[in-house]
Structure formats: structure tokens, C-alpha cells
Amino acid sequence: MAYKIKSAECTVCGACEAECPNIAISLKKGTYVIDPAKCTECKGHFDSPQCAAVCPADCCVPA
Amino acid sequence: MMGNVVSLDSIFGLGELAPPAVMPAAPEAASGCSSSSCGSSDGPADMDPAVWEKVKNHPCYSEEAHHYFARMHVAVAPACNIQCNYCNRKYDCSNESRPGVVSEKLTPDQALKKILAVAQEIPQLSVIGIAGPGDSLAAAGKNTFATFEMLQKKAPDLKLCLSTNGLALPDHVDTIAQYNIDHVTITINMVDPEVGARIYPWIFYKHKRWTGLDAAKILHEQQMLGLEMLTSRGILVKVNSVMIPGVNDEHLLEVNKAVKSCGAFLHNIMPLISDPAHGTYFGLNGQRGPTAQELKLVQDACEGGAKLMRHCRQCRADAVGLLGEDRGEEFTADKIEAMGFVEYDDEARRSYRDHVEAERAGRHASKAAAQADVRDSVGAGVDPILIAVATKGGERINEHFGHAKEFQIYEVGPDGAKFVGHRRVDQYCEGGSGDIDTLDGVLAAINDCTAVFVAKIGGCPSKSLADAGIEPVDRFAFDYIEESALAYFKDYAERLGQGVVQSRAGQDAVIRTGALTARRA
């Protein structure tokens, strides 16, 4: 399972990038994307997916 | 070619052109150790000399410095760890001037190059700040500290400062001290979590999103802890508060007391910006901002607590130049990129600072003399008045009425003249002819003022002002503001006594928080 970023709502603030324990989030062509191969929904790290928890625009959602 | 920035030429030129309006002819009066200056001309009397040394060239920390020195914000900190109901960073418009708005996000390398380029172009530059667009300490403050580290090596004369919501502050106080950041601004809107819950929908702390009272309580505790940790290390802290009518307006008096007792040096109470077009929660839900009089009442009520800042312009997080102007468009990423290698040389900045230092020495004495003159000649029964001033810096009345993008407001009374705020307006005169609708906007913005000081004004706006009961005054053109205000007040008090003029007390005015686009002519 993995999360994705709804690019239309993303403000490109970068908060998620810093919180991701798997370094699955990166900036590609001006917008943040989550690498589904690396995303574990933070299982084993935290109680909830960190990108969704920190996102000010609520645009990190289950893929 | 004279835009809003005071060029070196203009400031030197004007210095020769116009001596101070009131010369310090009576040194006894100046040193008459009463309420203000104790004969010392090296700094304002109400400030510790060590503190003055730290703030004298910082436009945001010293009201006097904002007439002379420029700051620059580099937008290297996009991420944020809290949500505020008055903030929305999603929309950028180059015509918008409000915190959280930027046109370009920068990497630390890009920021360094931009700073060096701007420092070559603007000798008034004295301060580099990081104020978002998110929180400078979110995402572990990585970009913020990377930028400061490089800057400290390349341009050690530039002062560093940062702005934060305080949530992550306690974790970074040691790093802040290590990089010689001696000015920090914390936004503290409440000291009561009940109030905080109406301002912050959530925070992100210790890997978890917190909401409601829990969120506000954690934020409050972190803010106060961070504030105390900074002040105990001798780092100057300014506290910003957003005044939200019906939410925290009366509560701000308590905030003022609390932050003062924790050692905050300056308290900046700013009006809420809540245009629905900005898409903020408050804006969309009809939460209004304060009027000029409401803001001033709260600021005045806090007088005597932590020192109040009145000259804040609520800058963009990528603002460049003197406060109240934005020259960011001259330094876009493409333009900086096209510059190639940027030389670093601080000579122009050093000679500018020497010039300001020399000018200051005489100024403190001449202000005190003018003040003593008014105190002796005007009875305490005369109420203070407000005066709007058209200026482009250097503490002088040196702007044409029609060219003013804002008016600086001074309150002058038997106790002296002091800066109390600024009012943004649309330029009345675009390309030579005045626009009558714009004039109405100007009148609304300075409706509580008794007079407006200008370098020059046309016949038509002059008549409209007079009809509205605001006296246009051009006889102090190019003189110093405070001395002129005091001279005017002395004259006004006489005319008031004779019944020639009426008091304008009780008028309110409109705060305009919208666009400010300052471009060089």
C-alpha cells in the first residue's frame, strides 16, 4: 500500500518531504511525488502516515 | 531615477539642501534631563545602549532604522508545521503584499547568490531574514541554517534574523545562537489555549497532528519556552501578534504582559488581513480585520508593557528593500541567474552606514530641542493630533502627495512627536494627472489626521483635503519629519486657542492591507 499526492491541491510547501521516514517523497517537475515502491504508509515507523498528517492542504491520500 | 528607495545621492544631496527645521540652538534645553534625552546623542534615551547597538540598523527592530535601512527576506523555508486560520500560501500574486506569499522558492545556494547581488545594488541593506513562506524552523530548519552558514562566511556585515511560529523553537535555540542570529521574531497570538483553538485548527508535533485545545496548549508551551530560552541567551526577541477582532483583540493585553515578563524586547500587533480573495479560513468565513482606530486603541492600551512596534508593513516572505516597498521584481531568479559571478564588496554599505551614523548624532539633539520647545510653550490641555506624512525615507518630508504609496502617521502632542503607523494608499497621481476615485481612498485612509505633510501637492487635491478638514502642508518640504511636526503642533495649538481651527478627535480611518507594488520609476 502507498500514498499519493493530489498535485492539483498541493501547495509545494515541502513539509511532507522532510517528515517521510522512507525518503519516498521528492520534487519532480515542480511538484512533489511519492514513490509507491518506497512508501509503506509509515507502518513500523509511526501511528499514521506522516505526509498526510503534516500536509497543510490535506492532499496526501491513499493511492 | 529615484524610486522608493532613498538612493545615496538623494540622501547626501538632501542633507546639504535642507538643514533640520529646528536647529539645536539651545543646548541647555536639549540636555535638560527631563523626560527624554539625558544629553546623550548616541542613542534614544529609552533604550539600553547595548540593545541600541544591536537594533540601530535593523529596520524591523528599530523604528528609526526603518527610515534608513533595508531588509531582505529569502524564501528558503516553504514547509510549515502548523495551520493558522489567517494564512493561505497557495496563491501568489506579485501585487499582493502579505506574509506567506512568495513568487519563487529558493534553494540555499540560490538564496546566497541573490543576497550578494542585492547587497551590491542596495547599500542600505543591513538585514537578511528568513520568514517563510512556511515556518523557518519546520523541516528541522535545514534550509534556514544552511543559508545562514554560507552567509556568515561570505557577508559577515549583514545581520541575520528569522521568524517562527515557535512550535519547533526550543529544539533550535542552540543552533540559532551558534550562527550569531541575534534577532528572532515569534508569532504569539494567545497565551490562553481557549483563544488559540479558534486561531489554529491543527499543529504537527512529535510525529502527530494535534487539534483543538491540545494543539493550542502545546503551541503555547513551546512558544513561551522558546521565548525564555532565547532571551536568557541575550538574543533579542520581537513578538508578532495578529489582531483578530472578537477572537483575541482584548486578549492581546494579556499577551503583551506575558511576553514582556518573559523578556520580549518588542511587541508588534498587526491587523488581521482577511480579504476573501486570499482564500484563508478567516477570509472565507467573514472574519473582519480591525479598523485603524481599533488597532491603535489596543496598541495604546499595551503602552507601558513590552515596547510596541508601529511600523510593520506585513511584508511578503520574499520582500526586498526598505520597509513599505518591494523591489523583489528586480531580482527574480532568471535575472540573478543571468548575472554570472557576483562580486562581494561591502564598501558602499560601509560608507552608507557611516553617513547615517553622522546624521544621527545631530538628529537626536535637534529632536530633543524641538520637543522641549513645544513642552514649554504648549499647555498640557491640548490633545495630541495625528499627522500624515509623505516620505520616501531618511526621516524627511520628501515625497509628492500624488506619488505617495503610503502615508506615515505621526502622533504629535505636548509630550512630543512619535511614529504611530502607516496607511497604504493607491497612488493618486499616475503619469501626471490625478484620479478622483483614488483621492477618495486616500481621504478615507488618513481621515483621522489633522494635517498631511508633503513635499509638493497640486491645487485640486489640496482643495479636496481642505474641504474634508485635513490641512495640506507643504511649507516643511524636505525638512525632518519630527521637528516639522512639533513646529506645526506649536502653531496648531495657538490657532486652536484662538478658535481658528477645530479638533478632529474621534475620526476613524480605513486600514488597507491589500496590494503594494513599488517599482522604481
Side-chain angles (χ1 to χ4, degrees):
Chain A
M1 292 300 283
Y3 264 55
K4 68 169 183 181
I5 293 169
K6 292 192 276 182
S7 62
E9 286 166 35
C10 175
T11 64
V12 202
C13 83
C16 58
E17 185 189 20
E19 301 297 339
C20 177
N22 300 311
I23 319 179
I25 302 176
S26 60
L27 192 62
K28 294 253 162 73
K29 292 181 187 159
T31 179
Y32 281 99
V33 292
I34 297 176
D35 180 348
K38 290 185 185 166
C39 176
T40 60
E41 297 192 359
C42 292
K43 290 210 171 72
H45 291 283
F46 303 108
D47 296 342
S48 67
Q50 294 296 287
C51 56
V54 77
C55 175
D58 289 324
C59 71
C60 300
V61 294
Chain B
M1 170 111 168
M2 248 175 61
N4 235 25
V5 150
V6 196
S7 72
L8 277 178
D9 293 350
S10 75
I11 209 163
F12 289 140
L14 288 175
E16 287 150 16
L17 193 103
V22 182
M23 295 298 287
E28 310 91 273
S31 56
C33 207
S34 47
S35 67
S36 64
S37 173
C38 262
S40 159
S41 62
D42 18 42
D46 58 349
M47 214 181 276
D48 180 322
V51 173
W52 168 245
E53 206 44 50
K54 271 192 182 175
V55 300
K56 65 179 188 179
N57 294 353
H58 194 309
C60 310
Y61 276 73
S62 158
E63 189 175 294
E64 188 184 301
H66 100 273
H67 293 280
Y68 296 99
F69 290 98
R71 53 65 181 107
M72 170 177 185
H73 290 162
V74 284
V76 296
C80 202
N81 49 9
I82 74 177
Q83 180 66 51
C84 304
N85 281 334
Y86 48 73
C87 179
N88 177 12
R89 289 166 293 132
K90 193 166 169 96
Y91 301 103
D92 156 50
C93 167
S94 62
N95 290 342
E96 249 174 57
S97 182
R98 60 187 171 96
V101 167
V102 296
S103 293
E104 293 164 331
K105 286 154 197 165
L106 304 173
T107 64
D109 287 321
Q110 289 171 323
L112 180 72
K113 190 169 180 191
K114 181 170 174 177
I115 291 164
L116 297 180
V118 169
Q120 291 303 95
E121 191 66 29
I122 305 181
Q124 295 93 334
L125 189 70
S126 64
V127 168
I128 305 300
I130 295 181
D135 188 74
S136 59
L137 300 176
K142 221 173 72 192
N143 287 357
T144 299
F145 294 122
T147 306
F148 284 158
E149 185 175 10
M150 291 191 287
L151 197 56
Q152 209 178 22
K153 289 182 195 135
K154 286 276 187 183
D157 70 303
L158 296 172
K159 294 257 178 225
L160 310 178
C161 66
L162 62 82
S163 180
T164 174
N165 58 43
L167 181 61
L169 182 57
D171 301 338
H172 298 288
V173 169
D174 288 336
T175 322
I176 288 170
Q178 183 193 326
Y179 287 119
N180 296 324
I181 299 165
D182 49 21
H183 307 92
V184 172
T185 295
I186 314 175
T187 301
I188 300 180
N189 297 317
M190 51 88 198
V191 289
D192 174 0
E194 298 274 354
V195 176
R198 299 173 65 190
I199 304 172
Y200 306 101
W202 58 262
I203 66 165
F204 187 77
Y205 178 68
K206 291 209 192 283
H207 303 293
K208 211 182 132 188
R209 196 189 275 213
W210 306 71
T211 57
L213 274 182
D214 293 341
K217 195 161 171 286
I218 294 169
L219 180 62
H220 165 60
E221 283 164 6
Q222 291 287 97
Q223 286 174 336
M224 300 315 268
L225 177 63
L227 170 58
E228 276 175 347
M229 287 171 75
L230 287 171
T231 54
S232 68
R233 280 169 171 76
I235 296 166
L236 284 185
V237 181
K238 167 161 79 68
V239 168
N240 278 355
S241 298
V242 180
M243 176 177 169
I244 310 160
V247 175
N248 72 346
D249 45 352
E250 287 165 12
H251 181 60
L252 288 177
L253 271 79
E254 269 177 69
V255 174
N256 181 269
K257 282 192 201 117
V259 301
K260 176 170 191 185
S261 72
C262 288
F265 160 72
L266 198 60
H267 190 192
N268 173 23
I269 299 176
M270 308 173 288
L272 170 72
I273 300 174
S274 68
D275 186 333
H278 299 154
T280 61
Y281 174 86
F282 280 148
L284 296 174
N285 286 279
Q287 169 66 55
R288 70 174 181 92
T291 69
Q293 200 171 40
E294 286 171 334
L295 178 68
K296 190 170 178 299
L297 277 175
V298 169
Q299 288 175 332
D300 289 350
C302 291
E303 209 66 74
K307 196 171 150 58
L308 266 285
M309 170 175 179
R310 311 270 191 155
H311 60 282
C312 177
R313 304 300 202 286
Q314 298 178 286
C315 314
R316 290 165 63 96
D318 58 2
V320 176
L322 291 177
L323 300 197
E325 72 163 14
D326 192 352
R327 291 178 60 185
E329 286 195 2
E330 292 169 51
F331 305 99
T332 57
D334 322 345
K335 289 177 190 162
I336 301 291
E337 206 50 54
M339 278 179 185
F341 179 73
V342 179
E343 286 258 6
Y344 175 73
D345 170 17
D346 64 357
E347 206 199 314
R349 294 201 296 283
R350 261 189 291 124
S351 77
Y352 179 74
R353 282 168 207 165
D354 289 346
H355 164 73
V356 172
E357 208 53 48
E359 178 142 314
R360 265 174 179 156
R363 289 305 314 292
H364 292 141
S366 84
K367 275 186 207 172
Q371 203 173 323
D373 184 30
V374 163
R375 200 172 40 234
D376 294 345
S377 60
V378 179
V382 183
D383 288 333
I385 57 171
L386 296 178
I387 288 171
V389 182
T391 174
K392 46 187 165 193
E395 291 191 271
R396 290 174 189 271
I397 304 155
N398 51 9
E399 181 83 293
H400 190 298
F401 175 80
H403 296 166
K405 298 182 188 79
E406 66 163 23
F407 289 91
Q408 299 198 353
I409 310 296
Y410 281 75
E411 186 172 70
V412 50
D415 294 332
K418 64 174 183 184
F419 177 86
V420 294
H422 57 87
R423 308 279 169 73
R424 198 168 283 169
V425 297
D426 283 324
Q427 269 172 279
Y428 166 65
C429 179
E430 298 261 16
S433 66
D435 174 347
I436 210 75
D437 290 344
T438 316
L439 187 57
D440 288 342
V442 176
L443 289 174
I446 59 170
N447 191 36
D448 51 351
C449 297
T450 299
V452 52
F453 286 8
V454 296
K456 206 171 172 218
I457 184 166
C460 179
S462 188
K463 186 177 176 304
S464 302
L465 282 168
D467 288 348
I470 304 169
E471 186 185 357
V473 177
D474 60 4
R475 67 176 185 271
F476 300 112
F478 302 104
D479 284 347
Y480 286 118
I481 296 168
E482 287 185 38
E483 287 88 328
S484 302
L486 287 159
Y488 176 85
F489 182 70
K490 192 176 160 183
D491 176 49
Y492 163 87
E494 259 170 45
R495 286 187 294 153
L496 195 68
Q498 295 158 359
V500 188
V501 290
Q502 310 272 315
S503 160
R504 277 179 73 75
Q507 303 278 356
D508 203 352
V510 180
I511 293 184
R512 188 159 161 230
T513 50
L516 174 74
T517 48
R519 294 185 185 92
R520 300 190 93 180

